[in-house]
């Protein structure tokens, strides 16, 4: 039976359904979404509309695609685990339990069946010891409502998700060892000591760059050593040559040694998906919100794959911190609390980010914020690190080198979308069993970006003001694209119709700040039933947790035809509607061949939205439209239209020949 709102003829938005919002509109019709009841301008983070704008802000911030961030969804259109075909990425949206209750009758059951049949098979007997089930500690979420919730690997639903992720972590690590990946060599064996000492040992003298702060340290790779080998201290040179000749078995032994006391557990933070607590047996804490979404969330197969792969990259990122934390403790003692080292004189120091850049080709960001009630992920974005726009502040323990070339004007900021095709290949048993790819880790595990943005850094401007949109990478040869990539390219080009949706949504007139706050709490982690006999409870005090600090920036409008990179003051939805007309006028000017049903529907909705906005005026700026009734036209392979100078809009065939 149709809902009451549908019976009244009011539009049902898929986003309203997805986020559990009122059915009668695209978003709740709440004119106070941009201020609290007292008018202080501090947004209510748990308010439904605040969360929608928060999700949009995080999508823009994490994806850097800003005013066209919605296009990222194209990358999730399909999964391709093997040559057996493409699985629709958005066909199924349900928690795993739905399939266990009544699989054959559930929408998308066949896709799910194919998905699970192609997925990597966990083989726990091949795992590194530090990945095993007995290394996990329980955590009680006391803030969960209405009753505290215990997170444990003894819960089959939790372990079902974790064992897939841990299997891929194991395979990636063993592949990096088998391929003798240069970064893993540096992480495990690279020469590590204070910055000033490295300058002396590698014979750089006065030519060596000064330390950014007195306690700064350096981690030197074999590749960097080769640049200075003729001036390097003989003992250090002997050490560097020795690590280059180490067999693969030595890597396995050393990593197991470094992580001999490593354990895992669960936690909940507003701003973090994971954290490594060095000095406490190197505990890695994983976000329960991410796991909850994988276990209970009604998400698509593409979203499930993206979150699962993100969990894998998160585990590897934190393991890099753990590995180096032990190395630092070996050299400087257990109480060492200085910042992590700069690698090969880089501009920033962050071991996990450096690992991601070396292994995946960029720092991977999820287009949704962490949290207890985490929203479905928009997509996964890769960005080159160190970030050129990250100001290199001088001062003690800044983590950056002021004036470094990594932050210089003109340095390329490169963003790319990590497609579900790549993610599904990483999760595929077929890829890992393919003997025609002997070195799996080459070319960042054979990731060739399709949607890319490259922008020269402008230090005097905010990145929001000059970043280029993500577009189809012109460096890719169209003839070499896979079938799924060709489908994504076609869909990417067709998403310009989303301008209409922007004209139906509210506009946030003023930026709003949620003040950053800090709390210090004590957390207790208890051994799971799988833990070995004698395992003890771990209690850690004064854990710093950050809350708030987010800014909801005012809405911005960009006109790529007339006002690129400029957001006018006082714009409203009419500007978006004008943009629709400009696009159509451009197509007319160049006699573009357009689908007639699509053009007809776009013009109809544009007219209705314009009439409504003209009636409401500026008071309607802060409201969603009540007339959003766009309907996807029926596919008609023979109905096209083009603007011909002599006759105006005219029916044509797909080649533009007048009918």
């Amino acid at each position: 039976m149709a809902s009451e709102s549908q019976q009244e003829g009011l539009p049902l938005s898929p986003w309203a359904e997805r986020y559990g919002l009122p059915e009668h509109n695209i978003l709740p019709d709440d004119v106070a979404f941009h201020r609290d009841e007292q008018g202080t301008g501090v947004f209510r983070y748990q308010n439904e509309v605040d969360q929608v704008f928060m999700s949009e802000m995080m999508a823009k911030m994490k994806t850097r695609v800003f005013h066209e961030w919605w296009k990222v969804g194209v990358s999730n259109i399909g999964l391709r685990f093997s040559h057996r075909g493409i699985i629709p990425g958005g066909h199924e949206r349900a928690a795993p339990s739905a399939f266990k209750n009544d699989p054959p009758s559930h929408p998308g059951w066949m896709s799910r069946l194919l998905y699970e049949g192609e997925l990597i098979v966990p083989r726990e007997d091949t795992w590194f010891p530090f990945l095993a089930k007995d290394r996990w500690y329980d955590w009680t979420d006391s803030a969960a409502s209405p009753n505290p919730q215990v997170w444990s690997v003894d819960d089959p639903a939790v372990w079902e998700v974790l064992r897939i992720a841990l299997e891929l972590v194991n395979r990636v690590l063993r592949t990096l060892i088998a391929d003798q990946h240069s970064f893993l060599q540096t992480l495990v064996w690279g020469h590590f000591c204070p910055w000033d000492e490295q300058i002396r040992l590698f014979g750089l003298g006065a030519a060596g760059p000064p330390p950014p702060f007195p306690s700064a340290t350096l981690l030197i790779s074999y590749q960097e050593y080769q640049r200075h080998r003729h001036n390097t201290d003989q003992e250090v040179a002997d050490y560097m040559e020795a690590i280059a000749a180490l067999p693969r078995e030595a890597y396995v032994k050393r990593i197991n040694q470094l992580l001999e006391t490593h354990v895992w557990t669960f936690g909940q933070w507003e701003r973090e998906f994971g954290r490594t607590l060095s000095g406490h047996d190197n505990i890695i804490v994983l976000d329960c919100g991410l796991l909850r979404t994988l276990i209970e969330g009604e998400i698509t197969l593409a979203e499930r794959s993206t979150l699962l792969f993100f969990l894998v990259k998160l585990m590897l990122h934190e393991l890099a911190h753990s590995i180096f934390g032990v190395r630092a403790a070996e050299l400087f003692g257990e109480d060492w609390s200085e910042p992590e080292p700069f690698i090969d004189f880089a501009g920033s120091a962050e071991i996990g980010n450096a690992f991601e850049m070396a292994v995946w080709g960029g720092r991977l960001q999820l287009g949704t914020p962490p949290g207890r009630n985490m929203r479905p992920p928009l997509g996964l974005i890769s960005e080159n690190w160190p970030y050129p726009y990250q100001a290199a502040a001088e001062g003690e323990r800044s983590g950056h080198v002021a004036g470094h070339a990594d932050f210089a004007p003109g340095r390329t900021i490169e963003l790319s979308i990590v497609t579900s095709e790549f993610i599904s290949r990483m999760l595929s048993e077929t890829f890992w069993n393919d003997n025609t790819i002997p070195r799996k880790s080459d070319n960042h595990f054979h990731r060739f970006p399709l949607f890319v943005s490259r922008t020269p850094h402008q230090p005097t401007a905010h990145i929001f003001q000059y970043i280029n949109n993500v577009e189809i990478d012109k460096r890719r040869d169209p003839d070499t694209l896979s079938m799924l990539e060709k489908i994504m390219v076609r869909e990417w080009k067709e998403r310009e119709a989303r301008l209409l949706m922007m004209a139906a949504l509210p506009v946030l007139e003023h930026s709003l700040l949620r003040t950053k706050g800090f709390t210090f709490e004590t957390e207790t982690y208890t051994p799971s039933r799988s833990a070995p006999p004698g395992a003890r409870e771990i209690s850690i005090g004064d854990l710093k947790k950050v809350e708030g600090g987010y800014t909801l920036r005012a809405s911005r409008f960009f006109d790529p035809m007339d006002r690129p990179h400029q957001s006018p003051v006082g714009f409203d939805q009419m500007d978006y509607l004008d943009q629709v007309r400009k696009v159509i006028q451009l197509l007319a000017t160049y006699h573009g061949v357009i689908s007639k049903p699509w053009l007809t529907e776009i013009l109809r909705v544009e007219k209705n939205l314009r009439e409504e906005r003209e009636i409401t005026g500026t008071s309607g700026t802060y409201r969603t439209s009540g007339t959003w009734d766009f309907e996807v036209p029926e596919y008609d392979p023979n109905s096209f239209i083009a603007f011909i100078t002599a006759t105006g809009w005219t029916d044509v065939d797909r080649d533009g020949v007048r009918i």
Side-chain angles (χ1 to χ4, degrees), residues 585-598:
Q585 181 60 48
L586 183 68
L587 292 169
T589 300
Y590 289 94
H591 311 294
V593 177
I594 311 169
S595 166
K596 185 176 181 179
W598 272 90

Side-chain angles (χ1 to χ4, degrees), residues 37-57:
E37 287 81 355
Q38 289 74 40
T40 61
V42 179
F43 66 91
R44 302 180 302 270
Y45 184 69
Q46 296 302 323
N47 176 273
E48 285 180 337
V49 187
D50 291 336
Q51 286 187 342
V52 172
F53 275 94
M54 183 68 181
S55 296
E56 180 185 27
M57 183 275 290

Side-chain angles (χ1 to χ4, degrees), residues 194-379:
W195 186 297
D196 285 335
E197 185 71 1
Q198 296 281 38
I199 294 295
R200 182 186 67 81
L201 291 173
F202 285 88
L204 297 178
F213 47 90
S215 60
T217 56
L218 273 170
L219 180 62
I220 300 297
S221 69
Y222 180 78
Q223 291 72 30
E224 180 69 16
Y225 148 73
Q226 286 184 308
R227 296 178 54 211
H228 314 289
R229 63 192 310 167
H230 298 298
N231 298 319
T232 300
D233 175 86
Q234 188 59 50
E235 185 176 347
V236 174
D238 292 342
Y239 171 81
M240 298 303 285
E241 293 297 340
I243 67 173
L246 286 171
R248 294 169 176 82
E249 294 76 17
Y251 282 80
V252 174
K253 182 178 179 180
R254 177 59 170 155
I255 292 173
N256 280 329
Q257 177 191 23
L258 290 168
L259 297 177
E260 184 176 6
T261 60
H262 168 81
V263 295
W264 306 81
T265 190
F266 310 92
Q268 187 76 68
W269 288 293
E270 181 181 303
R271 297 172 62 98
E272 298 176 85
F273 284 109
R275 181 189 291 187
T276 298
L277 306 179
S278 299
H280 302 281
D281 292 325
N282 287 308
I283 304 172
I284 290 179
V285 186
L286 298 179
D287 176 54
C288 291
L290 175 61
L291 292 170
R292 184 181 292 108
T293 304
L294 279 164
I295 295 167
E296 303 173 358
E298 294 194 357
I299 52 179
T300 68
L301 288 178
E303 291 166 345
R304 188 173 303 284
S305 299
T306 297
L307 287 180
L308 193 55
F309 180 71
F310 182 79
L311 177 59
V312 171
K313 90 93 192 180
L314 177 67
M315 289 175 163
L316 288 164
H317 178 113
E318 298 302 332
L319 278 172
H321 286 300
S322 287
I323 288 172
F324 197 81
V326 177
R327 287 199 62 191
E330 288 177 342
L331 184 63
F332 295 109
E334 294 289 341
D335 296 330
W336 189 73
S337 60
E338 295 299 320
E340 290 182 321
F342 294 83
I343 301 177
D344 293 344
F345 302 99
S348 292
E350 217 285 351
I351 290 289
N353 288 352
F355 178 93
E356 291 188 40
M357 187 68 195
V359 174
W360 308 120
R363 173 81 162 93
L364 304 185
Q365 302 264 26
L366 193 64
T368 191
R372 187 178 306 279
N373 300 307
M374 200 180 95
R375 298 307 188 191
L378 179 70

Side-chain angles (χ1 to χ4, degrees), residues 14 28 78 470 493 532:
V470 171
K493 293 179 178 178

